[in-house]
Amino acid sequence: MIEILPNKLFAAITGIGGYIPQNKRSNEDLEKLVDTSNEWIVKRTGIKERRILDQDLATSDMAVRAIQNLIQKYNKNLADVDALIVATSTPDMPMPATANIIAQKLGMTNVWAFDMNAACSGFLYALDMGASLVETGRYKNVLIVGADNISTYVDVYDRSTNILFGDGAGVVWLEPSNEGGIMDAYLRSNGDGREYLHIEGGGTQYPMSDDNNNALEKRYLKQDGKTVFKHAVQSMTDACQTVLKRNNLTINDVNWLVPHQANQRIIDAVGRALDIPEGRALSNIEYLGNTIAATIPLCIWENIKQIKTGDLVMLTAFGAGFSWGASLFKWMI
Ligand code: COA
């Protein structure tokens, strides 16, 4: 059991919201674009469809809707928010931060707001940053958003990536608690992995300009699927085992594992490696695909009815960088 020190201040999740765009891109749609089949995609990834944001909307629009969803459901007041952290690899624009745009759209004119990019591990990174702010006692209400409009960077004619990715946004509200909340987080990165998963164009290395064909060629997400797959399984498993071990827990103490939703076969392989009991590794990849920083909050949001007060939940993620990690929290809602 986890030993709780007297007077320890935790950051507890006290609200959760999500938004998924209306437009669906099904496997049948992809069959019309590239040489693939519904059967192959389902067998190799577990994905049947993904959601695609309208072209006239941006990452901030999804995040705003996710936050509005949270506010309504949990009766929160945006005026109470001290800090807004947005995990995204697909900001609306290079500057200002998407967090500032979201804050402006929601009328939050006096909030500390910033973005952080750790690709598919972004939500875990941001959650730990937000929890650390709350644990200091100086911040009382912190919003953690994971939002990505990754379809903008996916070449619909590339069957090695178009099958996997979709758009979405999720958000949690953090508040101080003496009884429990975020218990631990283990986060890592290793830039040696960057060649296997990246979007190279559009930054300062390959700036997007009218005559820069190099950047145009590099504007889409590229990956070495097999290498990413192998590292994802190993890194998420190791991170979960590290967190379990240093908290004197076994996988049987964990009520729910929420892995990053990259591929159902990755989720299953991590579950097997950890030997988690059947049905405790949550998944919603079938109808959303990989929504990058949004997968974890969206997966919790969609499975909210199963999670009970006091349940121990383990999150784990892996993404570009490579970046990866695991975190553990007690569900306090
Ligand atoms: N439809 C039909 N066939 C396809 C295909 C598709 N979309 N994509 C690849 N193939 C073919 C290949 O050409 C290959 O054919 P061959 O055996 O005749 O050479 C065969 O299917 C196997 O391809 P392979 O690339 O080895 O498949 P895979 O089992 O590794 O699955 C991924 C490919 C991309 C689904 C898988 O590697 C993956 O999910 N990797 C992790 C990616 C990821 O999660 N990225 C984000 C991390 S946050």
Side-chain angles (χ1 to χ4, degrees):
M1 277 304 292
I2 296 176
E3 191 191 342
I4 297 184
L5 299 172
N7 304 322
K8 171 154 174 51
L9 196 59
F10 293 95
I13 295 174
T14 59
I16 184 158
Y19 174 76
I20 47 177
Q22 298 284 318
N23 292 339
K24 295 175 183 172
R25 183 180 287 163
S26 67
N27 291 350
E28 289 70 24
D29 294 333
L30 294 175
E31 282 175 353
K32 291 177 199 141
L33 297 171
V34 292
D35 179 15
T36 192
S37 67
N38 175 50
E39 194 192 2
W40 192 97
I41 303 171
V42 172
K43 191 165 162 224
R44 298 290 179 122
T45 69
I47 302 168
K48 290 184 177 156
E49 62 188 33
R50 334 79 204 115
R51 299 301 182 98
I52 307 297
L53 189 65
D54 287 348
Q55 278 182 0
D56 59 344
L57 297 175
T59 298
S60 65
D61 296 304
M62 292 190 291
V64 163
R65 286 162 203 194
I67 294 170
Q68 285 167 336
N69 172 263
L70 183 156
I71 302 297
Q72 279 157 17
K73 171 109 198 277
Y74 296 91
N75 206 16
K76 301 280 193 190
N77 187 349
L78 281 179
D80 295 332
V81 175
D82 303 307
L84 165 65
I85 309 178
V86 178
T88 186
S89 317
T90 55
D92 286 17
M93 50 189 74
M95 64 178 172
T98 302
N100 297 124
I101 300 171
I102 295 166
Q104 189 266 338
K105 287 182 177 173
L106 288 165
M108 300 157 76
T109 53
N110 194 23
V111 65
W112 183 30
F114 63 98
D115 292 358
M116 51 115 17
N117 177 354
C120 295
S121 306
F123 182 77
L124 252 61
Y125 273 56
L127 186 67
D128 198 37
M129 278 171 100
S132 306
L133 295 181
V134 172
E135 286 162 13
T136 66
R138 288 207 302 281
Y139 300 83
K140 297 224 172 338
N141 296 283
V142 178
L143 279 175
I144 309 295
V145 170
D148 272 300
N149 181 197
I150 192 66
S151 65
T152 307
Y153 296 93
V154 172
D155 179 356
V156 283
Y157 299 106
D158 177 0
R159 71 176 185 173
S160 70
T161 54
N162 67 4
I163 56 174
L164 295 173
F165 299 99
D167 302 326
V171 56
V172 296
W173 186 295
L174 292 178
E175 271 178 80
S177 162
N178 292 115
E179 268 134 56
I182 313 294
M183 318 298 279
D184 197 9
Y186 170 84
L187 301 162
R188 290 292 180 269
S189 72
N190 180 350
D192 286 347
R194 75 189 171 97
E195 66 183 283
Y196 304 110
L197 179 57
H198 52 230
I199 301 164
E200 291 186 308
T204 57
Q205 177 86 63
Y206 302 105
M208 219 45 102
S209 55
D210 290 345
D211 55 355
N212 192 347
N213 291 328
N214 204 5
L216 276 173
E217 274 169 26
K218 293 177 187 294
R219 71 187 182 281
Y220 292 126
L221 186 153
K222 297 276 184 234
Q223 66 174 0
D224 171 345
K226 275 201 182 313
T227 304
V228 173
F229 192 109
K230 201 175 70 190
H231 282 271
V233 173
Q234 190 66 53
S235 304
M236 288 198 279
T237 304
D238 289 349
C240 290
Q241 282 168 341
T242 300
V243 169
L244 289 173
K245 192 165 172 213
R246 70 188 192 185
N247 289 281
N248 298 317
L249 297 168
T250 74
I251 195 68
N252 293 316
D253 296 311
V254 172
N255 298 92
W256 307 105
L257 175 71
V258 187
H260 170 52
Q261 309 283 302
N263 181 322
Q264 186 60 45
R265 287 194 296 135
I266 295 178
I267 297 168
D268 293 342
V270 171
R272 273 196 306 276
L274 292 171
D275 202 16
I276 190 154
E278 184 79 26
R280 293 216 202 150
L282 300 180
S283 166
N284 64 346
I285 194 170
E286 192 177 352
Y287 294 103
L288 296 184
N290 180 349
T291 56
I292 315 291
T295 68
I296 288 179
L298 280 176
C299 189
I300 302 171
W301 181 61
E302 290 206 312
N303 283 284
I304 195 86
K305 289 209 172 84
Q306 298 198 67
I307 306 173
K308 305 284 174 250
T309 312
D311 279 0
L312 215 48
V313 183
M314 178 168 262
L315 312 179
T316 186
F318 178 87
F322 292 141
S323 59
W324 68 97
S327 62
L328 186 71
F329 62 83
K330 208 170 173 187
W331 189 246
M332 302 302 290
I333 297 180

